[in-house]
Amino acid sequence: IARHVSRFPYAIMRGEQDVTDAPEFAEYNKRARGLLFRTEASTSLTGAGYWLLDTNESGFNLTPRWVLSQSMTPVVDREKGLTGFKRNNQPIPLEEVAYFWEPSFTSEVAPGVGAAQTALAAASQLWAMDAFASQYFNAGAVKVTVFPVPPGTPEQEVEKFQSFLKGRMAGVRNAFKMIVMRLTDKLLPIIIGSDIKETQAPELIAIQRDNVAAALEIPPSVIDGTAANFATATSDYFGFITGTIIPRVEWLFEIANAQYFNQLDAEIVAQPEKLEIMQTATLEQATALTALTDDSILTVDEARAYLELGPKPKAEKPEPVAPIVINSPPP
């Protein structure tokens, strides 16, 4: 999500004028991708993202700089609410910070829960299963094995035997070693535990992967490419862009405008129409409308209005060309 957000097309506007390439925004444009990537990732992981609005010694060239959310502490007054922040015990005025807080339903002056935090319950189960498999193979892929010993065996001998087994059987380097031992009726190994393939539980893994994707508002097929066909994959990806990425970018830009760009008498505007998948969707709409463009169904202007293109420009009538008169020679 952060990668898609960071590469989203935008324009910086002053009224109707595009000032994206104006000198005062050169530094922002240079940092924009990294800035938006870290802001979105931090907000998803911790529920908050922060920009410090730096200026030069003269108080000009206002430029945002991303900082760790853990380094920022809100300063709250009981009557006035949020009045500023502290970073490394240094007070920072509210107007020098742009803060991106997930909505909270338990506090009016604190960030809410990030989307990634809601996915932790499902993700932790996946992590535990992977950790088990890793530990199993790192230990030489040896199941838990019990070696009974005769009653009355001194504890010292038991520990010595156990150390011998650990040294010879544990670890990846010992995974394929052969050990010859004299066994008696009293010393028959008992193997406990399941095979590693029986602990993978593919169905459970698939369910928890879907739970993680749902918590992040990502269609599962976008992550693992399991769509039944190309049309379904395209539809899922289009839904991901329109239902998750575009609203997320608009939310981030709304906060950035209120807390940063407004101070520069400008606003940052998302331009989803420049995305390739949106252009493809517009082309498909135009193709479908062309087939319906008939005076009995849709007029050309009605079809263009659906595509938000406005009326079709009227073709200019060519200026009449004066006839060429050829003077006949005198008789």
Side-chain angles (χ1 to χ4, degrees):
I1 293 176
R3 184 165 56 249
H4 278 78
V5 167
S6 68
R7 302 175 69 175
F8 205 90
Y10 68 87
I12 301 175
M13 307 293 293
R14 282 200 177 107
E16 298 297 326
Q17 183 182 3
D18 188 336
V19 293
T20 306
D21 297 327
E24 59 264 39
F25 299 112
E27 194 63 29
Y28 173 84
N29 291 328
K30 188 187 303 182
R31 302 182 184 184
R33 284 196 175 183
L35 191 66
L36 291 172
F37 180 92
R38 290 176 173 85
T39 304
E40 168 57 28
S42 175
T43 307
S44 178
L45 290 168
T46 67
Y50 294 95
W51 295 354
L52 289 186
L53 306 181
D54 296 334
T55 58
N56 56 23
E57 294 181 355
S58 303
F60 296 103
N61 196 26
L62 191 67
T63 305
R65 172 169 58 94
W66 176 85
V67 293
L68 286 170
S69 57
Q70 295 90 334
S71 68
M72 300 291 287
T73 303
V75 177
V76 179
D77 183 271
R78 287 187 177 182
E79 297 181 356
K80 299 179 181 179
L82 183 67
T83 59
F85 294 89
K86 279 189 177 182
R87 186 167 190 258
N88 300 327
N89 293 324
Q90 297 295 321
I92 304 176
L94 197 59
E95 62 272 12
E96 294 182 11
V97 179
Y99 56 97
F100 302 81
W101 284 359
E102 290 286 0
S104 173
F105 300 98
T106 58
S107 174
E108 296 181 1
V109 287
V113 177
Q117 292 175 303
T118 65
L120 286 180
S124 64
Q125 185 170 347
L126 294 172
W127 177 86
M129 297 174 73
D130 287 343
F132 174 84
S134 298
Q135 185 176 355
Y136 178 78
F137 284 106
N138 287 334
V142 179
K143 297 178 184 178
V144 176
T145 307
V146 178
F147 287 86
V149 295
T153 303
E155 188 66 28
Q156 184 177 1
E157 292 298 322
V158 173
E159 292 181 359
K160 183 178 178 181
F161 181 55
Q162 185 169 313
S163 298
F164 166 79
L165 292 174
K166 285 183 178 180
R168 294 295 183 91
M169 298 176 66
V172 175
R173 63 181 180 178
N174 294 324
F176 302 102
K177 279 190 175 181
M178 299 181 185
I179 301 176
V180 179
M181 299 179 62
R182 292 187 178 89
L183 297 180
T184 66
D185 293 341
K186 302 291 185 179
L187 191 61
L188 292 176
I190 301 173
I191 298 175
I192 60 176
S194 304
D195 291 331
I196 189 65
K197 65 179 181 180
E198 297 175 359
T199 64
Q200 286 302 289
E203 297 84 2
L204 182 59
I205 290 176
I207 291 172
Q208 298 300 3
R209 279 171 57 87
D210 288 352
N211 288 341
V212 171
L216 299 175
E217 297 184 80
I218 305 175
S221 62
V222 172
I223 297 177
D224 52 28
T226 56
N229 50 55
F230 178 77
T232 303
T234 302
S235 176
D236 287 349
Y237 184 68
F238 181 79
F240 170 59
I241 295 297
T242 58
T244 301
I245 299 301
I246 293 178
R248 191 66 179 176
V249 169
E250 290 175 343
W251 177 74
L252 290 171
F253 284 5
E254 181 180 351
I255 296 174
N257 283 329
Q259 301 179 14
Y260 169 58
F261 286 99
N262 282 358
Q263 298 186 45
L264 301 174
D265 190 28
E267 65 173 341
I268 186 170
V269 178
Q271 295 182 317
E273 67 277 3
K274 290 187 176 181
L275 293 172
E276 182 179 353
I277 192 167
M278 300 302 291
Q279 293 176 348
T280 301
T282 302
L283 180 61
E284 291 176 353
Q285 283 183 335
T287 303
L289 289 171
T290 300
L292 299 174
T293 303
D294 189 312
D295 288 339
S296 62
I297 302 177
L298 289 175
T299 65
V300 173
D301 283 346
E302 286 173 337
R304 290 178 61 86
Y306 186 86
L307 296 173
E308 299 181 355
L309 295 177
K312 182 180 179 180
K314 294 182 179 180
E316 295 182 1
K317 294 182 179 180
E319 295 182 1
V321 178
I324 300 175
V325 178
I326 302 175
N327 295 324
S328 300

